[in-house]
Amino acid sequence: MIGKLIGKGNTAEVIAVGDGKVVKLFNRGYPLDSVCKEFENSKLLHGLELPTVKSYEMVTYEGRNGILYDRIDGESMLDILLHTEDYEKYANTLAKLQKQMLACKLGGAVSLKFILKRNIEYTDHLSMPNKAKLINMLDSLPDGDCFCHGDFHFGNVIIEQEQNYIIDYMNVCRGHEYGDIARTVYLIEMTPVPAAQIHNTERILFMKKQATDIYLQEIGVNRECLSEWLLVTAAARLSELSNEQTDEKNSVLEYLSKQGL
């Protein structure tokens, strides 16, 4: 039986269904193939010794598609970070969780480089010559078969009684560790300040920069190693942004322009 709403995101709601389970119920009209993709990705993680949330089956309710998961009663690391401002603690924790993931192999998943290339080709915000430069750069970067989350940031960790759980498996893929680390750096440091925090912009920007530095120190990678990965990651991000996300879109284009693209 469908119960109370316990979480809501851009694409789905998380609703209690009893027996220690929830259904992640996607918005009406959300592509079925994307729901199937997340479900298949979640099943790839079942055999890994990682703090992920177990999935069970796909479901349909009142014309909406969803996935049945174990229930986690907690708060997102992002909300806790914004409340406590303890960016040192949570940046270190985020890096440690990501190192756990990257230590796993995920040979059966789609390639990260394939996803980046597809997204760069798809966007209409880059010229054909610049797309060619970026794809050549991407082709020169190393491959890998590490477990890449593909969207790892403070908002995709739930903390329940001091236990951390990694959530959101839509973008799970395999690739080189630097590719997934670059995506996390982008999401922490280069995305705009949330609208709810706009009154505190200066403080949030400071925390984003400090958290990124601490994260990189803990994960053991410097910015120079990530420079080309960050370029292709930012360019690929353009295809994900809606028409309403003009601030981030303009920020990405400005960043690419400064890098000669």
Side-chain angles (χ1 to χ4, degrees), residues 60-209:
T60 303
Y61 178 75
E62 294 186 348
R64 298 168 65 186
N65 298 303
I67 303 171
L68 189 68
Y69 284 103
D70 277 333
R71 177 170 178 169
I72 304 297
D73 288 315
E75 192 174 2
S76 83
M77 186 180 284
L78 177 61
D79 289 341
I80 296 171
L81 172 59
L82 290 173
H83 176 69
T84 64
E85 297 195 359
D86 193 350
Y87 51 81
E88 183 170 359
K89 174 183 177 178
Y90 293 110
N92 273 303
T93 301
L94 195 77
K96 289 172 182 175
L97 286 170
Q98 193 154 24
K99 285 195 286 187
Q100 285 182 252
M101 287 189 286
L102 292 170
C104 299
K105 303 299 181 185
L106 208 63
V110 65
S111 161
L112 170 61
K113 287 177 67 174
F114 172 82
I115 294 170
L116 291 171
K117 182 177 181 179
R118 179 196 63 197
N119 288 355
I120 290 169
E121 290 176 336
Y122 180 77
T123 183
D124 57 3
H125 295 287
L126 296 169
S127 68
M128 292 305 293
N130 281 341
K131 286 184 182 182
K133 287 180 188 178
L134 287 159
I135 289 170
N136 286 338
M137 182 184 296
L138 179 60
D139 287 341
S140 73
L141 294 172
D143 290 303
D145 61 356
C146 294
F147 167 25
C148 295
H149 183 278
D151 199 30
F152 195 58
H153 54 84
F154 295 114
N156 275 336
V157 179
I158 300 296
I159 301 177
E160 179 189 44
Q161 298 181 354
E162 299 187 6
Q163 173 65 47
N164 302 298
Y165 292 92
I166 300 161
I167 63 168
D168 195 348
Y169 314 127
M170 184 65 73
N171 297 295
V172 163
C173 56
R174 60 175 171 83
H176 193 275
E177 59 183 320
Y178 286 1
D180 209 35
I181 293 168
R183 171 76 172 188
T184 297
V185 168
Y186 175 90
L187 292 169
I188 298 174
E189 187 175 63
M190 300 172 66
T191 50
V193 173
Q197 296 291 328
I198 203 69
H199 64 284
N200 201 20
T201 296
E202 188 173 332
R203 179 63 181 165
I204 298 297
L205 290 174
F206 172 81
M207 287 198 295
K208 285 161 75 72
K209 175 65 168 61

Side-chain angles (χ1 to χ4, degrees), residues 12-15 17 21-26 32 34-43 53-60 64-70 169-170:
E13 296 174 326
V14 178
I15 299 171
V17 293
K21 304 289 190 302
V22 298
V23 61
K24 182 176 180 180
L25 201 59
F26 291 85
L32 176 60
S34 294
V35 182
C36 293
K37 176 185 173 185
E38 176 167 336
F39 181 57
E40 292 301 318
N41 285 346
S42 71
K43 291 196 295 183
V53 184
K54 186 177 180 181
S55 63
Y56 291 91
E57 61 180 328
M58 290 181 58
V59 298
T60 303
R64 298 168 65 186
N65 298 303
I67 303 171
L68 189 68
Y69 284 103
D70 277 333
Y169 314 127
M170 184 65 73

